[in-house]
Amino acid sequence: VIAQRVIAGKIHNARQVLLRAARDATAAKQSILRATAERHADLLQKVGEAANLESLLGIEGMTARDYFTAFPAMCTRSPDPFQRTRRPPADQANCLLSFLYGMLRVAVHGALAQVGLDSYIGYLHGIRPGKPALALDLMEEFRPLLADRLAITLLNRGELHDRDFQHLPGPAVRLTDDGRRTVLNAWQRSRERTWPHRQLGRDVPASLLPLIQARLLARHLRADLNEYLPWTVN
């Protein structure tokens, strides 16, 4: 059930990113984003029907493929067609996403440690030596709004330039020292932004969201809460 909830949270928030981008898009890009958001809505309904982890991962995989296929309609400086590449990232957009996901993972890992949960025992991601499975689980619901939107904003607004990226053989792309400073400053500013939290009934800064969700997860695992609800925004 926890795995279903974190995937549902991720799909819901990814759909919000698509819909918000569609409001600012025109013509073909707007059509792509709205159609992708509709498919996300259909797949979100199937999450609760997933009979096992394999089915759930299949739904998550389909959603991710759709989402990143539509990424060029949101991010003007991403390659078209876009493919998510990780080790190593093959272009500027992938490089920035990987860097921000790394920052997010550190924040979630720290939040889990603070509430006394073992980051290496998860529900969605497989348990392997050195892999913080629970941190990877919990960060899923945060990826679209806290990392993807920031990456899109930085690239679309021209806050990062070609000189902020270094192209290596492979091909591989990494941020330069100046590029990392720019992204880290933007990350720190983004953590000050407040977001609504429906379960708490108030707005909270982004920096506290991982800790709040880690606490709610810990309360659920200790039977103080009947269910774990992911953080989502409408």
Side-chain angles (χ1 to χ4, degrees):
V1 174
I2 292 174
Q4 286 178 315
R5 294 294 169 84
V6 297
I7 289 301
K10 177 183 181 179
I11 295 174
H12 175 97
N13 287 338
R15 184 169 182 269
Q16 295 308 306
V17 172
L18 291 163
L19 289 172
R20 291 181 188 198
R23 287 199 289 267
D24 297 327
T26 56
K29 288 185 176 181
Q30 188 176 75
S31 297
I32 290 169
L33 294 170
R34 286 179 175 171
T36 305
E38 285 303 308
R39 289 194 294 274
H40 271 48
D42 293 338
L43 289 166
L44 185 57
Q45 294 295 319
K46 295 181 180 180
V47 169
E49 303 166 4
N52 51 50
L53 185 59
E54 184 179 359
S55 298
L56 186 61
L57 289 171
I59 294 168
E60 192 275 338
M62 286 188 288
T63 308
R65 283 191 295 273
D66 255 9
Y67 178 78
F68 284 116
T69 297
F71 205 74
M74 296 188 283
C75 182
T76 57
R77 286 181 54 191
S78 67
D80 190 3
F82 181 78
Q83 183 177 1
R84 180 76 181 107
T85 56
R86 297 167 177 81
R87 299 183 185 88
D91 53 66
Q92 294 180 5
N94 271 297
C95 172
L96 185 52
L97 286 172
S98 292
F99 187 84
L100 290 171
Y101 290 161
M103 298 299 298
L104 180 59
R105 185 173 67 179
V106 168
V108 172
H109 197 144
L112 291 170
Q114 194 168 336
V115 301
L117 293 179
D118 188 341
S119 291
Y120 294 89
I121 301 176
Y123 298 88
L124 177 67
H125 292 85
I127 299 174
R128 293 204 303 265
K131 181 179 181 180
L134 188 58
L136 295 172
D137 289 356
L138 189 60
M139 69 181 279
E140 292 290 358
E141 63 201 64
F142 300 120
R143 286 179 189 259
L145 291 169
L146 300 190
D148 296 354
R149 279 195 70 197
L150 180 56
I152 292 166
T153 297
L154 287 170
L155 291 172
N156 284 352
R157 291 182 179 175
E159 294 184 41
L160 287 169
H161 307 278
D162 289 342
R163 64 177 178 270
D164 293 315
F165 297 90
Q166 184 178 7
H167 293 262
L168 305 171
V173 177
R174 71 181 180 191
L175 286 161
T176 64
D177 289 343
D178 286 344
R180 278 192 293 274
R181 276 192 289 271
T182 298
V183 178
L184 286 171
N185 288 334
W187 171 255
Q188 290 301 326
R189 291 194 303 271
S190 73
R191 285 166 60 79
E192 297 171 3
R193 173 181 174 169
T194 58
W195 291 88
H197 195 290
R198 280 184 287 176
Q199 205 166 351
L200 298 185
R202 59 184 173 88
D203 289 352
V204 297
S207 60
L208 291 181
L209 285 171
L211 181 59
I212 289 168
Q213 291 305 114
R215 283 176 176 165
L216 293 173
L217 178 58
R219 290 184 62 193
H220 172 61
L221 294 175
R222 293 163 187 156
D224 294 328
L225 277 179
N226 289 332
E227 58 182 350
Y228 172 75
L229 297 177
W231 171 69
T232 56
V233 172
N234 289 328

